[in-house]
């Protein structure tokens, strides 16, 4: 049963994680956001007290 031999599969696992952790994150983090997540001209809302008819 050759699939029980961990030698080649362990190296594949290590190299794939090495690629995932070194190559992919800088590529993903280099993208810029299209929309500003904190718009400065957003209106502020005031909460009003509710008038319950049974209270």
């Amino acid at each position: 049963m050759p699939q029980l031999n961990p030698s080649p599969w362990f190296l594949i696992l290590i190299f794939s994680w090495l690629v995932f952790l070194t190559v992919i994150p800088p590529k993903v983090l280099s993208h810029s956001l299209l929309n500003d997540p904190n718009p400065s001209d957003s209106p502020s809302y005031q909460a009003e007290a509710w008038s319950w008819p049974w209270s």
Side-chain angles (χ1 to χ4, degrees):
M1 295 180 9
Q3 67 268 24
L4 295 179
N5 183 8
S7 178
W9 301 112
F10 185 71
L11 279 177
I12 292 171
L13 176 76
I14 295 299
F15 284 130
S16 63
W17 273 105
L18 186 79
V19 167
F20 285 146
L21 294 177
T22 58
V23 174
I24 295 175
K27 288 182 177 286
V28 171
L29 291 175
S30 68
H31 294 288
S32 62
L33 294 174
L34 296 177
N35 295 327
D36 188 16
N38 294 324
S40 60
D41 59 349
S42 64
S44 62
Y45 297 103
Q46 296 292 331
E48 298 178 2
W50 289 8
S51 59
W52 297 97
W54 57 81
S55 60

